[in-house]
Amino acid sequence: MAQNKDEQVICPIVEAINAVGTEARLLVLRYLFDGDKGFNELLRLTKLSSKTLASTLKYLEEKKIIQRNIISTRPFKVSYSLTEKGKDLKPVFDDLRKWGEKWMDTLLD
């Protein structure tokens, strides 16, 4: 475990969950694992409000988990894709999905 300047213990698990652990972030990442998506497509798939989606995309971009790609067409288009850092989350998501499938009946209680 690491410590920050205030001598507080920093747990990598907690920091990882803080980075991706909201429902909106998880949904965006889940759909980006299937490939690049535009804002409107993510809006439709995630069923998030446009404000929530915009702030989620901005946060994930700031953390360098996703990247914003500008496609130079007229009118120009924007798509979002996973960075190498984001792609590294795939096995974690796969394991969480398997765990959720195994214990789904007890998680819904």
Side-chain angles (χ1 to χ4, degrees):
M1 300 259 186
Q3 292 182 332
N4 67 12
K5 63 181 179 174
D6 297 325
E7 300 297 320
Q8 294 175 328
V9 175
I10 300 171
C11 175
I13 295 170
V14 171
E15 294 307 312
I17 290 171
N18 286 340
V20 298
T22 68
E23 184 175 348
R25 293 177 201 156
L26 293 170
L27 283 170
V28 167
L29 292 170
R30 180 255 178 264
Y31 288 110
L32 289 179
F33 286 130
D34 294 335
D36 298 4
K37 303 281 185 285
F39 185 88
N40 287 332
E41 187 175 7
L42 286 169
L43 196 61
R44 181 180 51 79
L45 290 167
T46 62
K47 297 182 175 40
L48 297 170
S49 71
S50 58
K51 181 179 178 181
T52 299
L53 179 58
S55 65
T56 299
L57 292 169
K58 183 178 179 183
Y59 176 87
L60 291 171
E61 189 177 3
E62 288 171 356
K63 294 294 182 184
K64 299 185 181 353
I65 296 170
I66 66 168
Q67 62 188 12
R68 185 174 185 257
N69 310 299
I70 298 175
I71 303 162
S72 58
T73 57
R74 295 218 185 256
F76 76 91
K77 293 182 180 183
V78 174
S79 72
Y80 295 89
S81 62
L82 296 167
T83 61
E84 197 62 34
K85 187 180 193 179
K87 290 174 185 174
D88 276 351
L89 287 166
K90 180 74 166 100
V92 176
F93 271 63
D94 290 343
D95 286 344
L96 278 172
R97 186 191 73 249
K98 288 175 192 170
W99 184 84
E101 288 169 351
K102 180 178 181 178
W103 298 104
M104 182 67 75
D105 58 332
T106 62
L107 296 171
L108 296 174
D109 292 341

